[in-house]
Coordinates of all heavy atoms in Angstrom, one line a residue:
R291 N 123.4 107.9 143.0 CA 123.6 106.5 142.6 C 122.5 105.6 143.2 O 122.1 104.7 142.5 CB 125.0 106.0 143.1 CG 125.3 104.6 142.7 CD 126.8 104.2 143.0 NE 127.1 104.5 144.3 CZ 128.1 105.4 144.7 NH1 128.8 106.1 143.8 NH2 128.3 105.6 146.0
G292 N 122.0 105.9 144.4 CA 121.0 105.1 145.0 C 119.6 105.2 144.3 O 118.7 104.5 144.6
R293 N 119.5 106.2 143.4 CA 118.2 106.3 142.6 C 118.2 105.5 141.3 O 117.2 105.5 140.6 CB 118.0 107.8 142.3 CG 118.0 108.7 143.6 CD 117.6 110.1 143.2 NE 118.0 111.1 144.2 CZ 117.8 112.4 144.1 NH1 117.3 112.9 143.0 NH2 118.2 113.2 145.1
V294 N 119.3 104.9 141.0 CA 119.3 104.1 139.7 C 118.4 102.9 139.8 O 118.3 102.2 140.8 CB 120.7 103.6 139.4 CG1 120.7 102.6 138.3 CG2 121.7 104.8 139.1
V295 N 117.6 102.7 138.8 CA 116.6 101.6 138.7 C 117.2 100.6 137.8 O 117.4 100.8 136.6 CB 115.2 102.1 138.2 CG1 114.3 100.9 138.0 CG2 114.6 103.1 139.2
L296 N 117.4 99.4 138.4 CA 118.0 98.3 137.6 C 117.1 97.1 137.4 O 117.4 96.1 136.8 CB 119.3 97.8 138.3 CG 120.4 98.8 138.4 CD1 121.5 98.2 139.2 CD2 120.9 99.3 137.1
D297 N 115.8 97.2 137.9 CA 114.9 96.0 137.8 C 113.8 96.2 136.9 O 112.7 95.6 137.0 CB 114.4 95.7 139.2 CG 113.6 96.9 139.8 OD1 113.5 98.0 139.2 OD2 113.0 96.7 140.9
Q298 N 113.9 97.1 135.9 CA 113.0 97.3 134.8 C 113.6 96.8 133.5 O 114.7 97.1 133.2 CB 112.5 98.7 134.7 CG 111.7 99.3 135.9 CD 111.2 100.7 135.7 OE1 111.3 101.3 134.6 NE2 110.7 101.3 136.8
P299 N 112.8 96.1 132.6 CA 113.4 95.6 131.4 C 113.7 96.7 130.3 O 114.6 96.6 129.5 CB 112.4 94.6 130.9 CG 111.1 95.1 131.5 CD 111.4 95.7 132.8
G300 N 112.8 97.8 130.3 CA 113.0 98.8 129.3 C 112.2 98.5 128.1 O 111.5 97.5 128.0
P301 N 112.2 99.4 127.1 CA 111.4 99.3 125.9 C 111.7 98.1 125.1 O 112.9 97.6 125.2 CB 111.7 100.6 125.1 CG 112.2 101.5 126.1 CD 112.9 100.7 127.1
T302 N 110.8 97.6 124.3 CA 111.0 96.4 123.5 C 111.8 96.8 122.2 O 111.6 97.8 121.6 CB 109.7 95.9 123.0 OG1 108.9 95.5 124.1 CG2 109.8 94.7 122.1
P303 N 112.9 96.1 121.9 CA 113.7 96.4 120.7 C 112.8 96.4 119.5 O 111.9 95.6 119.3 CB 114.7 95.3 120.7 CG 114.9 94.8 122.1 CD 113.5 95.0 122.7
G304 N 113.1 97.4 118.6 CA 112.4 97.5 117.3 C 111.1 98.2 117.4 O 110.4 98.3 116.4
Q305 N 110.7 98.8 118.6 CA 109.5 99.5 118.7 C 109.7 100.9 119.3 O 110.7 101.1 120.1 CB 108.5 98.8 119.7 CG 108.1 97.4 119.2 CD 107.1 96.7 120.1 OE1 106.6 97.4 121.0 NE2 106.9 95.4 119.9
G306 N 108.9 101.9 118.9 CA 109.0 103.2 119.4 C 110.2 104.0 118.9 O 110.7 103.8 117.8
H307 N 110.7 104.9 119.7 CA 111.8 105.7 119.4 C 113.1 105.3 120.2 O 113.0 104.8 121.3 CB 111.6 107.2 119.8 CG 110.6 107.9 118.9 ND1 109.9 109.1 119.3 CD2 110.1 107.5 117.7 CE1 109.1 109.4 118.3 NE2 109.2 108.5 117.3
V308 N 114.2 105.5 119.6 CA 115.5 105.3 120.3 C 116.4 106.4 119.9 O 116.5 106.8 118.7 CB 116.1 103.9 119.9 CG1 116.3 103.7 118.4 CG2 117.4 103.7 120.7
T309 N 117.0 107.1 120.9 CA 117.7 108.3 120.7 C 119.2 108.2 121.0 O 119.5 107.7 122.1 CB 117.1 109.5 121.5 OG1 115.7 109.7 121.0 CG2 117.8 110.8 121.4
G310 N 120.0 108.6 120.1 CA 121.4 108.6 120.4 C 121.9 110.0 120.9 O 121.4 111.0 120.4
V311 N 122.7 110.1 121.9 CA 123.3 111.4 122.3 C 124.8 111.3 122.3 O 125.4 110.2 122.6 CB 122.8 111.8 123.7 CG1 121.3 112.1 123.7 CG2 123.1 110.7 124.8
D312 N 125.5 112.4 122.0 CA 126.9 112.4 121.9 C 127.4 113.8 122.0 O 126.6 114.8 121.8 CB 127.5 111.8 120.6 CG 128.9 111.3 120.8 OD1 129.5 111.4 121.9 OD2 129.5 110.8 119.8
V313 N 128.7 114.0 122.4 CA 129.2 115.4 122.5 C 130.5 115.5 121.8 O 131.2 114.5 121.6 CB 129.4 115.8 124.0 CG1 128.0 115.7 124.7 CG2 130.4 114.9 124.7
A314 N 130.9 116.7 121.5 CA 132.2 117.0 120.9 C 132.7 118.3 121.6 O 131.9 119.2 122.0 CB 132.2 117.2 119.4
Y315 N 134.1 118.4 121.8 CA 134.7 119.5 122.6 C 135.6 120.3 121.8 O 136.3 119.8 120.9 CB 135.4 118.9 123.8 CG 134.6 118.2 124.8 CD1 134.6 116.8 124.8 CD2 134.0 118.9 125.8 CE1 133.8 116.1 125.7 CE2 133.3 118.2 126.8 CZ 133.2 116.8 126.7 OH 132.5 116.1 127.7
D316 N 135.7 121.6 122.1 CA 136.9 122.4 121.8 C 137.3 123.1 123.1 O 136.8 124.1 123.4 CB 136.5 123.4 120.7 CG 137.8 124.2 120.2 OD1 138.7 124.5 121.0 OD2 137.8 124.5 119.0
D317 N 138.2 122.4 123.8 CA 138.6 123.0 125.1 C 139.3 124.3 124.9 O 139.2 125.2 125.8 CB 139.5 122.0 125.8 CG 138.8 120.8 126.4 OD1 138.0 121.0 127.3 OD2 138.9 119.7 125.9
G318 N 140.0 124.5 123.8 CA 140.7 125.8 123.6 C 139.7 127.0 123.6 O 140.0 128.1 124.0
L319 N 138.6 126.7 123.0 CA 137.5 127.8 122.9 C 136.5 127.6 124.0 O 135.5 128.4 124.0 CB 136.8 127.7 121.5 CG 137.7 128.0 120.3 CD1 136.9 127.8 119.0 CD2 138.2 129.5 120.4
D320 N 136.7 126.7 124.9 CA 135.7 126.5 126.0 C 134.3 126.2 125.5 O 133.4 126.7 125.9 CB 135.7 127.7 127.0 CG 134.9 127.4 128.3 OD1 134.9 126.2 128.7 OD2 134.3 128.3 128.8
L321 N 134.3 125.3 124.5 CA 133.0 124.9 123.9 C 132.7 123.4 123.9 O 133.7 122.6 123.8 CB 133.0 125.3 122.4 CG 132.9 126.8 122.0 CD1 133.0 127.0 120.5 CD2 131.5 127.4 122.5

Side-chain angles (χ1 to χ4, degrees):
R291 186 170 50 241
R293 304 184 195 177
V294 172
V295 175
L296 299 175
D297 60 355
Q298 294 183 9
T302 301
Q305 297 182 14
H307 290 165
V308 58
T309 296
V311 294
D312 202 2
V313 300
Y315 296 97
D316 188 323
D317 285 292
L319 293 175
D320 190 30
L321 287 175

